[in-house]
Amino acid sequence: MEEEIKCAVCKQFFTNPVLLPCYHAICLGCAIQHQQTVQNLEASDSIDNVDADKLSVLSETDSGVVCSSRPCSYIGSLGYQAQSPPSNSLCFSLPCPVCKKATFFDEQGAKNLPSFNLMKRIVEKYCESRDIGSKCELCESVARDATIFCDQCQVFYCDACKVKCHPMRGPLLKHSLISPHQGRILLKNRQAQKAKSCESGRCFDHPNELLSHYCLLCRYPLCGFCVEEQRHGSHDIQPLSSICKASKTELSQSLQQLSEKARAVTEFIQRLKAASEKLNASCEEIETAISIQIGAIIEALKAREQELIGFVRQDRDSKVRRLKEQVSTCTGKLQKTTGLMQFCIEALKETDPSTFLQVSTMLVHRVSSLDITWQNEMATLSSRITPTLDLELDSDSVVRSVELLNFSRMKPPSAPSLIQEECVAENNSITVAWLSHPPAFVEGYVLELDDGSGGTFREVYVGKETVCTVDGLHFNSLYQTRVKAF
């Protein structure tokens, strides 16, 4: 799950995470550090947009984000046409480190972004369960391990930032400095007391009112006063608890389906590992049979014996490599799937509806997309398991046939694939290129061409090369060609 709770910019666990309108998270410090000033932005500075839903004015009710004093804030994808702020304004832009969508702010910059409380809680739980130390909150680049915590500032400092930002003189002399472990306990107790005193969230615009409704159009929780306001008059408004319950149910169902796929992948990986062991056993059996049969033949057969054993081992190594690649691929995808599942499970534990709904749509989409991806890839990978080598030595061959000695049971090579980008026609000649499948043992190829009128095919090339040019063809004729391996 670590990949889900690490910042894409600093590659560390999220510190003061904030949520972008595209539902990707970033550390507040990283956002402030990477935001860029945009001054006198003209309409000619084109910001292209392929999909219309990638561009919208970032208002107080857009994308579930509430920010005050943002008259010219909007979001768009870099390089696409979009509305521009007034030419006399000074604003900030921040591209998402994951999807590259650009978000524009007013003079407050990235501080307008809402705090990603769910991510912050999950990171705290994860670090606490694994006894991972806190990071400094003031480091400009890579956050170093914190060595102290200021009770009054409520900030973790490393040694360098403590000397730079919190010198023990003046008013700071009276501040109480404790260890990071004690600081984490102190913050946890304060958050517990705050959550206990306010079990339900408060409205951002009406702090004295509790959140009780949810606007499906604006995707934002509302209080009773917000419902009566004109801006939500024609919107579809539902009870907050019912929407949260429905969203959690949808995510749980999608998560259950993905869990079944993960279980099936785990079993598939076990079969791949078992197939690898069977390949080794099958190879050993064939080597033994070859040694026994060729042992009765005179010294002239020993060189051929080594060639046959080498072929078997080469075939085994080729299949073992492919099986290991499949195991590695499935293991990597399973780890990502497991990380996403653990993150979704932690999200389902969230008791604050507004915090959960902030990312529920994104999580449902990711789980559903991953479910479809697993289904398509599993259908492809399941057909590639070949735990045995289809080889059998013919012991009835005589000494004079030593040079022709080969396996009597060997799968015929499959049809080669034409390389269309390398097949060309010029004047009255054509060049045909093809590619055989790597696992097949091929002695040669046969290229056949019809008469240009839909007649019978005739052989024009026999050999081991994989490209052939045929001259002397008729102009303004349509020829058909085919290649087979033997």
Side-chain angles (χ1 to χ4, degrees):
M1 192 175 80
E2 288 191 5
E3 184 177 349
E4 294 286 339
I5 57 178
K6 284 187 176 181
C7 177
V9 177
C10 62
K11 309 301 181 183
Q12 303 294 327
F13 291 111
F14 282 108
T15 303
N16 295 329
V18 291
L19 188 64
L20 294 169
C22 56
Y23 288 113
H24 292 129
I26 186 175
C27 297
L28 178 58
C30 295
I32 295 175
Q33 182 181 358
H34 287 80
Q35 67 182 4
Q36 300 175 354
T37 58
V38 181
Q39 190 171 11
N40 297 329
L41 185 63
E42 299 294 342
S44 59
D45 296 336
S46 60
I47 301 179
D48 301 336
N49 196 345
V50 174
D51 300 322
D53 60 352
K54 291 183 179 179
L55 177 61
S56 63
V57 176
L58 192 61
S59 65
E60 292 184 353
T61 59
D62 197 16
S63 302
V65 180
V66 176
C67 298
S68 60
S69 180
R70 297 178 301 153
C72 63
S73 300
Y74 62 95
I75 179 174
S77 295
L78 289 177
Y80 289 102
Q81 193 69 354
Q83 176 185 355
S84 61
S87 59
N88 59 352
S89 65
L90 173 64
C91 59
F92 293 90
S93 67
L94 176 65
C96 174
V98 179
C99 65
K100 307 306 179 183
K101 288 182 181 178
T103 306
F104 293 84
F105 309 99
D106 59 8
E107 63 277 1
Q108 295 295 327
K111 295 180 181 178
N112 283 323
L113 293 171
S115 178
F116 198 170
N117 295 325
L118 177 60
M119 178 66 74
K120 185 176 182 180
R121 295 173 188 172
I122 293 177
V123 171
E124 291 175 352
K125 290 181 182 179
Y126 185 85
C127 294
E128 183 179 353
S129 63
R130 286 159 177 76
D131 195 21
I132 299 176
S134 302
K135 297 293 183 179
C136 177
E137 299 180 78
L138 297 181
C139 289
E140 295 181 355
S141 56
V142 179
R144 294 181 287 267
D145 293 334
T147 56
I148 61 168
F149 174 79
C150 179
D151 188 14
Q152 285 71 25
C153 302
Q154 295 190 13
V155 175
F156 288 95
Y157 296 94
C158 64
D159 291 335
C161 292
K162 171 182 174 295
V163 176
K164 180 180 179 181
C165 305
H166 200 289
M168 297 305 295
R169 61 177 180 268
L172 299 179
L173 184 61
K174 298 180 180 180
H175 286 198
S176 176
L177 301 180
I178 58 179
S179 66
H181 177 70
Q182 294 174 334
R184 290 194 298 270
I185 296 176
L186 185 61
L187 288 178
K188 183 178 180 181
N189 294 337
R190 288 176 179 174
Q191 292 174 357
Q193 293 176 359
K194 183 178 180 181
K196 185 177 180 181
S197 62
C198 182
E199 296 180 354
S200 182
R202 299 281 180 178
C203 179
F204 182 85
D205 297 323
H206 310 94
N208 295 329
E209 297 295 325
L210 296 176
L211 298 172
S212 58
H213 295 78
Y214 188 80
C215 180
L216 296 178
L217 180 61
C218 302
R219 296 182 296 173
Y220 193 72
L222 309 172
C223 68
F225 286 100
C226 294
V227 174
E228 298 176 359
E229 292 180 355
Q230 183 179 1
R231 60 177 177 173
H232 298 288
S234 59
H235 295 180
D236 187 5
I237 298 176
Q238 300 292 334
L240 183 63
S241 58
S242 62
I243 293 298
C244 181
K245 182 178 179 180
S247 183
K248 284 190 176 183
T249 301
E250 183 180 3
L251 178 59
S252 299
Q253 293 174 352
S254 300
L255 192 61
Q256 183 178 3
Q257 295 177 359
L258 185 61
S259 177
E260 294 176 357
K261 294 296 187 300
R263 189 183 304 111
V265 172
T266 302
E267 296 175 356
F268 179 69
I269 292 176
Q270 295 299 327
R271 294 200 301 271
L272 290 177
K273 294 180 179 179
S276 178
E277 296 177 357
K278 289 182 179 180
L279 277 173
N280 291 328
S282 178
C283 180
E284 292 177 359
E285 293 177 0
I286 295 177
E287 289 181 6
T288 302
I290 292 175
S291 299
I292 293 176
Q293 296 173 22
I294 296 184
I297 305 176
I298 59 177
E299 191 69 21
L301 297 177
K302 291 185 179 180
R304 186 61 177 171
E305 176 187 8
Q306 296 302 320
E307 294 179 4
L308 294 173
I309 293 178
F311 175 83
V312 173
R313 292 179 177 176
Q314 182 181 3
D315 196 8
R316 175 204 60 185
D317 294 339
S318 176
K319 292 187 177 181
V320 168
R321 283 196 300 271
R322 295 199 307 276
L323 288 171
K324 288 182 178 179
E325 291 175 358
Q326 294 183 37
V327 170
S328 176
T329 301
C330 293
T331 302
K333 291 184 177 296
L334 180 61
Q335 289 177 352
K336 292 185 177 179
T337 302
T338 305
L340 178 58
M341 291 171 55
Q342 293 177 354
F343 182 80
C344 291
I345 292 173
E346 292 296 331
L348 289 172
K349 297 178 182 178
E350 176 58 34
T351 58
D352 188 357
S354 60
T355 301
F356 175 79
L357 289 174
Q358 194 177 37
V359 294
S360 62
T361 304
M362 177 267 294
L363 292 178
V364 170
H365 176 72
R366 289 187 61 188
V367 171
S368 301
S369 300
L370 194 56
D371 184 11
I372 296 175
T373 302
W374 269 123
Q375 185 176 359
N376 296 335
E377 294 182 354
M378 282 297 299
T380 303
L381 293 176
S382 299
S383 61
R384 301 180 181 177
I385 302 179
T386 54
T388 59
L389 299 177
D390 296 331
L391 304 172
E392 182 179 336
L393 189 66
D394 183 8
S395 58
D396 296 334
S397 301
V398 293
V399 176
R400 63 178 178 271
S401 303
V402 169
E403 299 260 344
L404 301 176
L405 187 63
N406 208 328
F407 296 101
S408 62
R409 285 185 55 196
M410 186 166 56
K411 287 185 177 180
S414 56
S417 301
L418 293 177
I419 308 176
Q420 297 183 1
E421 58 270 17
E422 296 185 14
C423 296
V424 295
E426 185 177 359
N427 295 328
N428 64 336
S429 65
I430 62 171
T431 299
V432 182
W434 58 89
L435 180 67
S436 63
H437 297 280
F441 176 76
V442 179
E443 293 184 359
Y445 304 94
V446 176
L447 176 64
E448 296 181 348
L449 194 71
D450 69 354
D451 57 2
S453 302
T456 58
F457 286 86
R458 59 186 178 88
E459 293 184 0
V460 295
Y461 171 77
V462 178
K464 295 184 177 181
E465 299 297 331
T466 58
V467 61
C468 177
T469 299
V470 182
D471 300 319
L473 303 179
H474 297 289
F475 290 96
N476 299 323
S477 300
L478 181 62
Y479 289 89
Q480 298 184 38
T481 184
R482 62 188 183 186
V483 183
K484 66 180 181 179
F486 63 89

